[in-house]
Amino acid sequence: MTPSHPEVPPPRQKQTLFEYPPLKEVPICFAVTVCTMAYAWYGVYRASQQFEWSIGDYGIWSSPPIIGNLTGPLMKDVSNWEWSRWSPFALSYLPVFFGHFLVFNIGSAILPESAFIPIYTLCSIAAVAYNFTPFLVAVSMAQGTVVFLTAMYAKKTWAVWLSALPVLYVSMHETNSLSDDPFLIFTFLSYSMIHYISYCLEHLKGESRKEDDTILKRYLRMMFFAFYQPYLFSLIVLYPDFERQLRERKTRQRNWLDCAWSGVRIAFWWWLMEASLHFLYHEAILKNAPYLYSLPKDQFVALGMAMGIFFHLKYAVIFGLPTLFAKLDNMDPLPGPICLIRVTLYSKVWREFDRGLYQFFKTYIFIPICAPTFSLPRKIFGVFISYGFVLLWHGFYHHNIVWIGLNILALFIEMGSKAIYTIESVRKWREANLSDVAFRRILAWCHILPFAIGLYSNFYFLGGSDVGAAFVQRFLIEETITFRWPFLLIISLGWFHANTAMEVDRLKSLEKSKKEKSN
């Protein structure tokens, strides 16, 4: 028997408050946005070519991949710790992924499930132990066992969280006590804990498989879920979704063309990022305060753009590689991260960048807190607790605290604006006095405030406290508060960019509607 639990209503369909109408000046908006981006990248290139490397900067002599014979050795910016560590690791891990592909697909085809599941799980654990050290695998399994036994015997949701969160906190903040290489902790240990939590919470809701009718079978299923290679790290997948994908893969037609195209795109972006770091040194410049503060304002601001785009491309590859192998298994992984260039409202970033993390805190934190009434106080409390988990996930450090705080502020501005527009008298006044086109133009100006807050939050998140403070000093204090012309120029460009982002959303919405009608 499963323990009783309060019924949680399914997620409600969001009401569309306002559909963006077409705008005749959209081609101008696109042109201004493209020209602005091109000029910004030129500014990053100029700043990079004038940058003089010195002791303490993170750079190495290296030949760009593929084009190295043409360029010869160049200085490569290796300041981005995550990418510089992930890229060689991922290359070395490719044999494991290919081995997984053979074992998983051949084994599941020729062996009964009772034999295949334990064999695959043991093979995967052995591969992880070889690449992440046996000690970390033992730590992970010990953590999972504690959470599992808590769920089986305490049978309380709060007990599962209580058994997991302190361990997750220690893993993210006391990494040196577990490994000399924090990368291994962040890449493997934290993700395995997320999957243990998902399995155990779903079991308490009665969502574990009926055929797993013993403690041993449930424990094995949890380990199989946690050590399924494409979802082992980088990607967060909820347990019910994992089981759904396993069921559907048996009847769904495998799309080899999509797999091939995904592989080509990942390889291209991987190569482009590795090659670009030999010419564009935005990460190293951001860490060199004297040079950073000496740059002209146009080059300085362009570095913020480069930092955000590099972050998106980095995760397009980091998420994309395991996604590719999940597709090769005929699974149905979540789409990749949304392109940050076409975003002005950062609520969309939370929903569509790390989609797995968003689903996790929405399903297990936000909705349970807000249900059943979804009243405003519950929503506000749910936002704070959800973002508190995200902060725990990334670490309670100053730059992350500022990042989360500014994101909450931007989200409340967005939520408050939407709440005002849902007031019937406000909506009717707008419809009577402002055309849809005029309202869209006004909305583009309104998007700039939460967008700017989101940008400053990302400067702290991606660059750290010193980089965030540099943008606050050099642009917010020196240009924005004083209403100098660079600020006026930036917000004008922001209006064109907001309309460009709106138009992309409008076109995607039309495309989605056409697909739904055709189906």
Side-chain angles (χ1 to χ4, degrees), residues 22 50 62 79 105 107 145 161 191 216 235 276 286 292 308 353 367 375 378 442:
Q50 296 166 8
S62 169
S79 305
N105 288 277
T145 301
W161 283 112
Y191 282 91
L216 183 59
L235 300 179
S276 69
L286 288 167
L292 178 64
F353 194 87
I367 289 179
S375 63
R378 282 178 175 264
I442 294 173

Side-chain angles (χ1 to χ4, degrees), residues 194-195 197-199 202 205 225 231 235-245 334 355-364:
I194 289 291
H195 289 109
I197 294 172
S198 178
Y199 178 88
E202 292 297 340
K205 295 193 300 185
F225 167 50
Y231 298 156
L235 300 179
I236 296 174
V237 177
L238 304 190
Y239 175 67
D241 197 34
F242 175 72
E243 291 291 356
R244 175 190 62 79
Q245 294 178 35
L334 292 169
R355 301 170 193 262
L357 179 61
Y358 173 77
Q359 285 192 354
F360 182 89
F361 71 71
K362 177 184 176 182
T363 302
Y364 299 130

Side-chain angles (χ1 to χ4, degrees), residues 176-188:
N176 291 334
S177 64
L178 298 173
S179 174
D180 294 333
D181 188 353
F183 175 81
L184 301 179
I185 305 292
F186 300 144
T187 304
F188 162 62

Side-chain angles (χ1 to χ4, degrees), residues 113-167:
E113 183 179 287
S114 59
F116 166 68
I117 297 300
I119 290 173
Y120 172 83
T121 304
L122 289 174
C123 289
S124 181
I125 290 174
V128 175
Y130 179 80
N131 287 273
F132 290 93
T133 74
F135 174 73
L136 288 185
V137 170
V139 170
S140 171
M141 295 182 69
Q143 293 174 351
T145 301
V146 170
V147 177
F148 177 80
L149 293 176
T150 302
M152 295 301 112
Y153 293 104
K155 299 181 180 180
K156 299 292 184 181
T157 298
W158 62 263
V160 171
W161 283 112
L162 190 62
S163 67
L165 291 184
V167 177

Side-chain angles (χ1 to χ4, degrees), residues 18-27 29-30 430 434-447 495-507:
F18 177 71
E19 293 185 358
Y20 300 133
L23 206 62
K24 61 182 180 182
E25 61 263 35
V26 157
C29 295
F30 272 94
R430 194 284 299 173
L434 292 171
S435 67
D436 286 355
V437 170
F439 187 52
R440 170 177 165 167
R441 291 177 178 138
I442 294 173
L443 279 179
W445 287 112
C446 295
H447 278 202
W495 183 85
F496 289 101
H497 175 259
N499 270 308
T500 301
M502 285 180 178
E503 187 64 16
V504 173
D505 286 344
R506 188 183 76 86
L507 295 176

Side-chain angles (χ1 to χ4, degrees), residues 28-66:
I28 299 175
C29 295
F30 272 94
V32 170
T33 300
V34 170
C35 290
T36 301
M37 296 287 293
Y39 180 79
W41 278 115
Y42 176 62
V44 175
Y45 177 76
R46 283 191 300 162
S48 300
Q49 297 309 301
Q50 296 166 8
F51 180 65
E52 295 182 2
W53 292 90
S54 59
I55 296 175
D57 295 325
Y58 293 92
I60 60 173
W61 280 101
S62 169
S63 295
I66 300 178

Side-chain angles (χ1 to χ4, degrees), residues 468-490:
F471 278 91
V472 169
Q473 174 63 39
R474 295 208 67 196
F475 199 79
L476 179 64
I477 295 176
E478 295 179 8
E479 307 295 344
T480 303
I481 295 177
T482 56
F483 283 94
R484 298 176 63 184
W485 75 266
F487 163 70
L488 299 176
L489 174 63
I490 286 291

